[in-house]
Amino acid sequence: MTRARRRLGAALVSDDELTRLLARLPSWLVDKVPRDHRESDEAFRRRRRVTAGVSVAGAGLLGVSLAQKPDSPAFYGLTLGVAGTWVAGGLASGPLHLGWVQTPSATLRRPLLTPVLAGVGAFGLFYGAALVARRIPPLDAAISRVLRYAHQGTPALVLTTTLANGIAEEVFFRGALYAAVGAEAPVLKSSVVYTLATVATRNPALVLASAPMGLLFALQRRASGGIQAPVLSHLTWSVLMLRFLPPLFRDRPSIAVPTPAESG
């Protein structure tokens, strides 16, 4: 057997494995609703140029934002700047779509309840994983470094930046970028870019979380043809994580609010 044939065989095995995996997933993550999102070649090339530039700019700004002190004007300003970058890039790249789900009666409606339940389910899995991560020092430290922004921050501002970035990431990564990577393996490609952008935070907990959540959001985008489903799941998951995860790690010294002597 030649090397080319071995590569082809491996590809066929991968395709078969992917098919079996999709067969085990619920229909709302697998069944694609009808859509026609075709673009001209020029529009597609323009979308790719915009998303490439914005991906680099947004990732860089994300890394800088999480290097700021919690509850500082710089942190809130830069975090909102990250959200603005994703949204501006998404809107500038070309048309975006909300998407649909198919009802049992074969009619189409906007996704609502199922994405919210998906976000709740994802939170449940992550909460269980956090209980395990507490016993793994590197992950415990990484999660604590992230949660100090919520624990030490002003609740209204933390919630605002969390919601803004949740929406913005879906507008860009599942809206513009998903459309820009083309028709071949868009779920995998867009998820990889999403995870690579998170690497700029230099936080392993965020990187590990971005991989499964990126796949979930991308599968929702694939099935529904739009960003409404992943937006709702992302917001639900983010709000629950913000509400219930910090208390789980509140005894960690790294997330405690510093005293005036310490902050000075």
Side-chain angles (χ1 to χ4, degrees), residues 28 112-128 213 216-217 220 229-241 244:
W28 53 270
L112 184 58
L113 180 60
T114 301
V116 171
L117 293 177
V120 173
F123 162 73
L125 293 175
F126 270 80
Y127 192 86
M213 295 309 294
L216 170 63
F217 300 145
Q220 290 177 305
V231 163
L232 291 175
S233 291
H234 197 148
L235 293 182
T236 303
W237 175 76
S238 295
V239 169
L240 291 173
M241 294 283 280
F244 293 104

Side-chain angles (χ1 to χ4, degrees), residues 207-224:
V207 176
L208 288 174
S210 70
M213 295 309 294
L215 283 173
L216 170 63
F217 300 145
L219 285 169
Q220 290 177 305
R221 168 64 170 83
R222 173 186 177 275
S224 68

Side-chain angles (χ1 to χ4, degrees), residues 51-70:
T51 54
V54 172
S55 295
V56 175
L61 197 56
L62 177 62
V64 174
S65 69
L66 286 182
Q68 308 305 309
K69 292 183 178 180

Side-chain angles (χ1 to χ4, degrees), residues 71-91:
D71 204 29
S72 65
F75 169 71
Y76 295 121
L78 286 168
T79 305
L80 289 174
V82 174
T85 300
W86 296 140
V87 170
L91 296 177

